[in-house]
Amino acid sequence: MTELDGRVAIITGGASGIGAATARTFAAQGATVAIVDRDGEGAVEVANEVGGHAYALDVRDGGEVSEVVDRVAQTLGRVDVLVNNAGAGDLRPLHTVDDKLWHRILDVNLSGTFHATRAVIPYMLETGGGTIVNNASLSGLTPTRNEAAYSAAKAGVISLTKSAALEYGPTVRVNCVAPGHVRTPMTAVWEQMPDAFEPIAAALPLGRIGEADEIAEVILFLASDRSSYVTGQTLAVDGGIGLPQAGTDPALARLYERLQEG
């Protein structure tokens, strides 16, 4: 028996990146997957690939999210797993972030997570169980330069995760992943700047950038019965960059080499 055999999973932001990788991983483990994404065509493409269902929506619209969750529950009979993966970011100094951009980033990342969580909880309570996995970011644990809005939103996701775990345990488990540097469409711009990308990889204790499939495997763990005694937690999947002094370690290594030379 596979790990998610017979379960119904909703994945927001499932048309690409970590969301699409999670859809493939879940389907391989027996889940029926509902792909939810603003990119309707992309959602259909992934759904066709994994034998799932596709729904086009903007997670910022709470009413629309509730309608789609209702449709999933009515069509597939239940909702066992929710992965809140839809996200949006931007890179600029805090004082240049206008109200429109601020609200867009918070609404997609934080309000979107709230909307989907609120919509699935009644179904999970009705069926006697469920799991929710939220995709935050290492930036929600350790703020990053020029990402004030994104870091604030992801910190909110982490706090919301803890609140929901406290309120709905033991029936519903709620956990969070905090990816570090991972190859996704959101980080594609880095690939075009090797001079900026390569130093990041060099600073990682594991010495490389992560892949979406690696995050999907951790999401699977948190969604499955293997994590049956885990709730309210945020698991950093970051190649070790979050370790104290990890960013300065390459410089210290070079300094040591020079001292040894002379």
Side-chain angles (χ1 to χ4, degrees):
M1 182 178 293
T2 50
E3 294 195 58
L4 298 179
D5 195 43
R7 301 186 194 183
V8 174
I10 296 175
I11 303 174
T12 71
S16 63
I18 293 171
T22 301
R24 297 183 188 102
T25 299
F26 278 21
Q29 291 298 321
T32 300
V33 181
I35 309 298
V36 174
D37 203 288
R38 189 178 181 184
D39 176 7
E41 292 184 2
V44 169
E45 184 176 338
V46 175
N48 288 341
E49 178 186 345
V50 302
H53 302 257
Y55 301 86
L57 67 79
D58 188 333
V59 295
R60 294 177 292 181
D61 187 330
E64 189 178 355
V65 171
S66 293
E67 290 177 7
V68 167
V69 169
D70 289 344
R71 286 168 57 195
V72 171
Q74 291 164 9
T75 302
L76 302 178
R78 57 193 298 125
V79 179
D80 302 291
V81 180
L82 168 66
V83 178
N84 280 306
N85 174 73
D90 193 78
L91 195 66
R92 67 185 67 200
L94 185 153
H95 75 280
T96 67
V97 177
D98 60 24
D99 288 353
K100 182 178 180 180
L101 178 59
W102 172 264
H103 287 295
R104 183 177 74 83
I105 293 176
L106 263 70
D107 285 348
V108 173
N109 293 287
L110 180 54
S111 296
T113 298
F114 165 71
H115 291 153
T117 299
R118 180 180 62 183
V120 303
I121 287 290
Y123 290 105
M124 292 181 174
L125 294 177
E126 181 180 346
T127 57
T131 58
I132 298 173
V133 184
N134 297 325
N135 189 355
S137 168
L138 190 64
S139 297
L141 294 169
T142 305
T144 44
R145 185 182 298 274
N146 295 331
E147 286 192 321
Y150 183 75
S151 294
K154 291 302 190 180
V157 169
I158 292 169
S159 183
L160 181 63
T161 298
K162 295 177 181 179
S163 294
L166 183 63
E167 289 190 36
Y168 296 105
T171 309
V172 180
R173 294 189 300 106
V174 189
N175 290 290
C176 192
V177 292
H181 298 286
V182 179
R183 286 191 176 86
T184 70
M186 281 185 64
T187 61
V189 64
W190 289 95
E191 301 278 3
Q192 303 169 20
M193 299 184 294
D195 56 330
F197 206 53
E198 291 171 3
I200 293 175
L204 290 162
L206 291 186
R208 63 178 178 83
I209 302 300
E211 302 294 339
D213 290 345
E214 295 176 296
I215 310 302
E217 289 292 337
V218 178
I219 293 173
L220 171 63
F221 166 71
L222 293 174
S224 73
D225 293 338
R226 283 190 290 163
S227 60
S228 59
Y229 200 56
V230 180
T231 195
Q233 303 304 305
T234 298
L235 182 53
V237 192
D238 64 356
I241 193 63
L243 294 170
Q245 304 301 321
T248 61
D249 188 65
L252 292 174
R254 288 193 296 272
L255 176 60
Y256 175 77
E257 291 174 358
R258 291 181 183 178
L259 289 173
Q260 293 301 303
E261 290 170 359

